Amino acid sequence: MADETVGIVGAGIVGLATAREIALRRPGTRVVVFEKEQQVSQHQTGHNSGVVHAGIYYTPGSLKADLCVRGVSLLREYCQDRELPYRETGKLVVAVREDELGRMENLYERAKNNHVPDLRRVSKDEIGELEPHAGGIAALHSPRTAITDYPAIAREFAKDVTDSGGEVKVGFIVTGLTTVPDGIEVASGQDRVKVDRLILCAGLQSDVVAKLAEDGREPKIVPFRGEYMLLKPDRTHLVRGLIYPVPDPRYPFLGVHFTPRVDGSVEVGPNAVLAMAREGYTLGRISPRDLLGLAAYPGSWRMAAQHWRTGVKEYRGALSRTAFMKDAGLYVPGVGASDVVRGGAGVRAQALDRDGTLVDDFRIHSVGRITAVRNAPSPAATASMAIAEHIVGQVFGDG
């Protein structure tokens, strides 16, 4: 149907990329984006570190791997076309202990299977050539890993949507979804909008909105706050590109790392602490409703039983700048608590299964006329344009 209306819930980068893809691929289709905030990209997209991932970490054949690699090329071309920031600073994934070398080699093989371009192993001496102030005994170097400005990209996506005749309705809090003849009625209080199809890209609220669509209770979103330090301006010269640890395969988080930003600052972080609210960007933000929801979910207790020691360590870093910087100093020796100030924080929408498993891959599925993105953590921003292609192909059967 060329004249149908498609609704998108959520004006983060994935929702806006999907709206844009529909507008471009299916001319004549009316696209309406529903966003509860007064501006686009106010949550995960607006608190993103800006890294464009090359595809190093993800299981070959997974949606994450396939869509990340595809998404990088689409994003690079888009940024070049729109004159948006895109800098290939490169990334070092650094081993600082002998027992990390096996994991690093496994990571290398995984990245090669994902066709990460120009990736190579580097020795201790070569680390010093690439990053004179970095430590480590060996590393992987990904020269094509980049940094960008995701909020700026999201705003440009929104402009593409409205320029093509679509609408971005801000301040529209979705309170109800009702199946009606030939469509879905999207409610915000007394306001009602009928659409023929609906795509849910609600991020931190994805399980809440999916429940309105009768899409089931699992997986549940668990909010993890990631806090950053900022190198003081007279210390930013110590870091040229991205410096990452070898990740622990038990967790979907990548560990504290050094990230240059397009504005010239350098972030250190993030940690990963359980947030006390879905939008808990500070330690003091507590939502009893969100906490009760976590407490009532069996997966929360199973997760806690498996990972409580790591959780205690992460909270220690949240409370103490010295503890936060202890591990970071392994990668840039000599950098400590006196070299940083507290920066911002983001909240990651991490999906959790009933058995306590932290969901790693993207999860996107459909119920009737509704398609729900139930898990889209990092590298969702990198992969956003490829995720949009995937969703639109799934929704319209022309992928």
Side-chain angles (χ1 to χ4, degrees), residues 119-186:
L119 183 76
R120 65 187 182 97
R121 304 179 185 90
V122 298
S123 66
K124 181 176 182 178
D125 289 341
E126 290 174 299
I127 291 174
E129 294 171 8
L130 293 163
E131 290 282 357
H133 301 282
I137 58 176
L140 302 178
H141 183 227
S142 170
R144 303 294 291 276
T145 298
I147 57 175
T148 190
D149 183 341
Y150 285 118
I153 293 170
R155 291 191 296 270
E156 194 71 12
F157 285 170
K159 184 176 183 297
D160 290 342
V161 171
T162 56
D163 285 351
S164 65
E167 183 179 6
V168 179
K169 293 176 72 69
V170 296
F172 192 102
I173 301 173
V174 175
T175 57
L177 300 174
T178 305
T179 300
V180 296
D182 301 321
I184 305 104
E185 191 175 76
V186 184

Side-chain angles (χ1 to χ4, degrees), residues 103 247-253 306-307 310 358:
R103 297 208 317 259
D248 187 330
R250 294 174 299 170
Y251 302 103
F253 313 112
Q306 295 174 56
H307 305 303
T310 300
L358 296 165

Side-chain angles (χ1 to χ4, degrees), residues 69-85:
V69 173
R70 168 69 175 156
V72 170
S73 61
L74 293 171
L75 197 69
R76 183 193 307 115
E77 182 179 347
Y78 186 82
C79 288
Q80 291 171 348
D81 180 61
R82 302 304 175 92
E83 299 183 346
L84 293 168

Side-chain angles (χ1 to χ4, degrees), residues 63-298:
L63 271 181
K64 266 191 176 183
D66 293 345
L67 298 182
C68 179
V69 173
R70 168 69 175 156
V72 170
S73 61
L74 293 171
L75 197 69
R76 183 193 307 115
E77 182 179 347
Y78 186 82
C79 288
Q80 291 171 348
D81 180 61
R82 302 304 175 92
E83 299 183 346
L84 293 168
Y86 191 97
R87 289 173 44 207
E88 290 186 344
T89 59
K91 174 196 285 187
L92 281 176
V93 181
V94 179
V96 295
R97 299 187 304 272
E98 292 285 340
D99 62 6
E100 294 178 327
L101 294 176
R103 297 208 317 259
M104 192 179 78
E105 185 61 23
N106 291 339
L107 202 62
Y108 176 80
E109 294 301 326
R110 174 174 285 196
K112 295 299 286 186
N113 286 332
N114 289 338
H115 308 290
V116 173
D118 305 324
L119 183 76
R120 65 187 182 97
R121 304 179 185 90
V122 298
S123 66
K124 181 176 182 178
D125 289 341
E126 290 174 299
I127 291 174
E129 294 171 8
L130 293 163
E131 290 282 357
H133 301 282
I137 58 176
L140 302 178
H141 183 227
S142 170
R144 303 294 291 276
T145 298
I147 57 175
T148 190
D149 183 341
Y150 285 118
I153 293 170
R155 291 191 296 270
E156 194 71 12
F157 285 170
K159 184 176 183 297
D160 290 342
V161 171
T162 56
D163 285 351
S164 65
E167 183 179 6
V168 179
K169 293 176 72 69
V170 296
F172 192 102
I173 301 173
V174 175
T175 57
L177 300 174
T178 305
T179 300
V180 296
D182 301 321
I184 305 104
E185 191 175 76
V186 184
S188 179
Q190 299 303 310
D191 199 358
R192 302 284 190 275
V193 179
K194 181 180 176 296
V195 298
D196 297 283
R197 305 174 193 259
L198 187 65
I199 302 169
L200 310 180
C201 302
L204 287 162
Q205 308 293 337
S206 60
D207 56 342
V208 175
V209 177
K211 184 179 178 182
L212 296 176
E214 299 183 350
D215 184 40
R217 297 178 180 272
E218 298 176 29
K220 185 172 183 60
I221 292 299
V222 177
F224 281 91
R225 186 173 59 258
E227 301 162 328
Y228 291 90
M229 300 290 176
L230 286 172
L231 285 183
K232 292 179 178 177
D234 64 345
R235 304 296 276 169
T236 57
H237 70 280
L238 298 176
V239 177
R240 292 179 175 177
L242 298 145
I243 304 174
Y244 276 60
V246 177
D248 187 330
R250 294 174 299 170
Y251 302 103
F253 313 112
L254 298 179
V256 170
H257 47 267
F258 291 81
T259 307
R261 301 296 302 264
V262 294
D263 64 4
S265 63
V266 176
E267 287 182 334
V268 187
N271 58 1
V273 298
L274 184 65
M276 298 295 104
R278 286 178 186 264
E279 297 169 8
Y281 297 106
T282 63
L283 278 171
R285 178 73 183 274
I286 298 172
S287 167
R289 180 177 181 179
D290 290 345
L291 290 176
L292 286 171
L294 284 176
Y297 186 60

